Amino acid sequence: MALEDLCHFRDIFQEDITTERFSIASAISSQESPSAFPLPTNLPFTSSQTVPLPFPMAHGTTTLAFMFQGGVLAAADTRSSCSGLVACPASQKILPIHSHLVGTTSGTSADCMLWKRILARELRLYQLRHSRRLSTRGAAKLLSHMLHPFKGTELCVAATLCGWDGGELFYVCSDGTRLEGMLFSVGSGSPYAYSILDQGVRWGLTVEEATSVAREAVYRATHRDAYSGNFVDVFHITSKGWTRRKREDLKEEYYREKESD
Amino acid sequence: IFTLQTFGDPGKMKDYHYTGPVEHRFSPYAFNGGTVLAVAGDDFAIVASDTRLSEGYSIHSRDSPKCYKLTDTTVIGCSGFHGDCLTLTKIIDARLKMYKHSNNKTMTSGAIAAMLSTILYGRRFFPYYVYNIIGGLDEEGKGAVYSFDPVGSYQRDTYKAGGSASAMLQPLLDNQIGFKNMEGVQHVPLTKEKAVQLVKDVFISAAERDVYTGDALRICVITKKGIDEQTLPLRKD
């Protein structure tokens, strides 16, 4: 691609991570002011109250991610609700950012979708400028700092970034939280998911066992939480990149369970 | 997760109980009603809308269709606040021209959808009160429908209803086109004729039960030969 030639860029996505050359990278060159598309330009600094909206936003979810010996696993439901109406029963809440980084989204779907896109753009620009991929830790910090000017506004983004630099998991929230951890669950259904995960997740799980724990956790959460439901998506991240399991309808699971009672 | 305050349901009857003095702020939005629907098939797409423009208890116009032609293969349906619909379509047209002049080709449906998402999100803190649905053909010639929320979240669907009667129409479409909530049914692919008939039936039902939908139905059928428009009368009451 033309931009790659201009930057004398060598695509390192295909190469093993240990052969990257590390440059003493300066801080990420400051991106253009927020007036460059598509960051929202009209921050409500002038009015003390924001404009009252005549419609509700899309919220409510169950997402989870955890690390184990086989990599990082991320799972989420697919229901996108809008104060009582299911606006979309098949939305995608786990968005791939690049081949080795996946982000789960929770909060307002428009905010999550657009900020993930902005993050993907910035990570790609970083990679082209500095000839190396930004680590998951760096991506989390970048996202957190990009969201900081909007703290106190109605932006609602609660994402977990699951990446492979040796396996890393970070939770970033629009109120400024940025945490590293081994296990996170986010959303209105997270208390139910946590109970399954706290019982079932161990470091030594195999990939099949881990997938079934993740699926079970999302299933139980969708069963009890009104704002989660429909399908479950499972993504698995390893040194070779992310792989996606086929989307599963939880209705079948529910009837299977009923029959075995 | 926090929910946003909604200041009364738009356009619906307010309660007549006296709860105390209420401060009325100027609201920059109005709700002009209308329903939009889009269906994608194997080699066609349909975008349909009613043509009633209302506000509160009045009807401003019986002939204000909500489908706007963007390119030879893409039509957008916008319902919600008519002022924002007009401005948004003007902005999209301008951006389409700019793209055509810089890149010497017409924008594809997918590209228009991605662009609209960023246009809507640019006004995240004072949104366009418009529910958009784009219907068109993708680069392979297959039907594509992209549905949006007012702040730019979007995804590709096979069918979607938006606007005032969307909550009534969407379950019907889920059943008839998506074969949902039925057991043991053969999934027959949708033909263009069956799809047009279904859209007509669905709007007739919507006009029965939704006060903001009615007067006439405008259907745009998009195939690789071009865009074919039909108009059908609906209930005027």
Side-chain angles (χ1 to χ4, degrees):
Chain A
M1 294 198 307
L3 194 56
E4 283 177 337
D5 289 332
L6 202 62
C7 304
H8 303 292
F9 173 70
R10 207 178 78 237
D11 191 349
I12 54 167
F13 276 164
Q14 319 304 329
E15 295 171 23
D16 186 17
I17 195 141
T18 53
T19 65
E20 281 176 16
R21 55 184 171 82
F22 285 83
S23 56
I24 303 168
S26 52
I28 294 156
S29 56
S30 62
Q31 60 233 39
E32 282 90 47
S33 68
S35 58
F37 112 113
L39 290 170
T41 54
N42 56 333
L43 294 174
F45 289 140
T46 50
S47 60
S48 52
Q49 283 170 286
T50 50
V51 179
L53 292 174
F55 53 80
M57 302 273 205
H59 271 130
T61 191
T62 304
T63 66
L64 57 95
F66 59 87
M67 281 169 52
F68 67 111
Q69 57 81 19
V72 186
L73 206 74
D77 75 312
T78 61
R79 176 175 289 182
S80 186
S81 52
C82 203
S83 86
L85 173 68
V86 176
C88 184
S91 52
Q92 210 190 351
K93 297 192 191 181
I94 308 185
L95 303 170
I97 297 174
H98 60 64
S99 63
H100 288 71
L101 181 63
V102 139
T104 67
T105 63
S106 166
T108 310
S109 27
D111 290 333
C112 292
M113 188 185 280
L114 268 294
W115 281 101
K116 283 279 154 61
R117 249 178 108 178
I118 294 169
L119 182 65
R121 180 189 69 177
E122 291 302 322
L123 290 181
R124 180 66 175 152
L125 285 172
Y126 183 93
Q127 197 204 357
L128 289 169
R129 289 181 182 132
H130 299 94
S131 312
R132 71 179 182 94
R133 201 165 52 215
L134 188 58
S135 63
T136 319
R137 184 184 302 274
K141 198 163 197 178
L142 180 58
L143 182 60
S144 175
H145 289 183
M146 288 199 294
L147 290 173
H148 181 71
F150 299 95
K151 186 172 155 76
T153 66
E154 1 161 292
L155 268 203
C156 183
V157 175
T160 60
L161 296 176
C162 319
W164 187 268
D165 292 319
E168 276 180 335
L169 180 56
F170 288 87
Y171 168 68
V172 177
C173 182
S174 53
D175 62 13
T177 313
R178 178 170 49 93
L179 300 170
E180 182 178 7
M182 302 276 284
L183 169 76
F184 285 110
S185 175
V186 186
S188 51
S190 62
Y192 308 105
Y194 269 128
S195 58
I196 306 288
L197 294 173
D198 287 337
Q199 181 199 41
V201 169
R202 295 178 324 273
W203 180 258
L205 292 173
T206 64
V207 177
E208 291 75 32
E209 284 169 355
T211 315
S212 82
V213 167
R215 248 180 84 251
E216 182 71 12
V218 175
Y219 169 60
R220 297 286 163 202
T222 57
H223 188 45
R224 281 287 176 182
D225 177 34
Y227 291 102
S228 309
N230 297 103
F231 302 93
V232 59
D233 277 332
V234 177
F235 274 65
H236 181 214
I237 302 108
T238 57
S239 57
K240 297 189 186 58
W242 56 262
T243 50
R244 180 191 184 160
R245 201 154 168 276
K246 192 166 167 324
R247 176 173 271 195
E248 234 179 293
D249 192 348
L250 289 171
K251 187 180 67 172
E252 319 282 329
E253 178 75 22
Y254 177 68
Y255 283 117
R256 241 200 313 267
E257 219 188 41
K258 278 208 93 152
E259 257 160 59
S260 60
D261 275 340
Chain B
I1 310 275
F2 53 83
T3 48
L4 293 170
Q5 267 315 88
T6 46
F7 284 67
D9 278 324
K12 304 235 170 38
M13 246 177 78
K14 306 275 190 297
D15 280 332
Y16 283 106
H17 311 294
Y18 182 67
T19 47
V22 177
E23 185 192 330
H24 289 281
R25 279 194 60 188
F26 168 68
S27 169
Y29 297 110
F31 181 64
N32 294 118
T35 306
V36 180
L37 167 53
V39 178
D42 284 330
D43 58 351
F44 67 92
I46 297 175
V47 180
S49 76
D50 72 321
T51 61
R52 173 176 287 180
L53 192 73
S54 43
E55 188 169 348
Y57 291 122
S58 324
I59 295 179
H60 286 315
S61 168
R62 292 194 195 277
D63 186 23
S64 167
K66 293 157 191 66
C67 316
Y68 301 92
K69 175 171 171 287
L70 296 179
T71 68
D72 286 330
T73 53
T74 316
V75 172
I76 188 171
C78 313
S79 68
F81 171 40
H82 193 61
D84 278 346
C85 295
L86 292 175
T87 306
L88 190 60
T89 45
K90 276 191 200 132
I91 289 177
I92 297 172
D93 278 333
R95 292 285 297 264
L96 284 175
K97 280 204 187 101
M98 282 158 60
Y99 184 96
K100 183 86 193 280
H101 290 143
S102 341
N103 299 290
N104 202 26
K105 68 183 186 98
T106 338
M107 274 184 102
T108 58
S109 301
I112 297 177
M115 179 185 73
L116 180 57
S117 171
T118 51
I119 293 175
L120 292 171
Y121 199 76
R123 289 267 300 252
R124 168 69 175 80
F125 297 110
F126 182 14
Y128 290 109
Y129 181 17
V130 189
Y131 290 93
N132 296 290
I133 305 183
I134 291 181
L137 300 176
D138 64 10
E139 287 109 331
E140 292 158 26
K142 292 219 278 274
V145 164
Y146 297 91
S147 61
F148 293 77
D149 81 348
V151 272
S153 163
Y154 80 104
Q155 64 171 63
R156 186 170 172 174
D157 289 312
T158 321
Y159 54 86
K160 187 78 177 173
S164 55
S166 60
M168 287 178 219
L169 298 185
Q170 190 65 30
L172 181 52
L173 296 177
D174 282 337
N175 182 270
Q176 291 295 307
I177 306 181
F179 303 105
K180 301 248 175 88
N181 308 312
M182 290 197 284
E183 296 294 326
V185 178
Q186 204 190 9
H187 290 218
V188 180
L190 199 64
T191 60
K192 190 170 66 146
E193 291 68 33
K194 185 149 191 303
V196 171
Q197 192 51 47
L198 186 64
V199 165
K200 289 178 180 165
D201 290 338
V202 143
F203 263 92
I204 290 170
S205 315
E208 294 287 325
R209 285 288 185 177
D210 181 35
V211 304
Y212 300 106
T213 306
D215 292 331
L217 166 63
R218 172 74 64 92
I219 306 182
C220 304
V221 183
I222 305 148
T223 52
K224 64 175 191 291
K225 294 196 194 68
I227 300 179
D228 180 40
E229 286 185 8
Q230 310 173 22
T231 311
L232 184 80
L234 291 175
R235 286 183 80 114
K236 291 186 170 26
D237 59 359

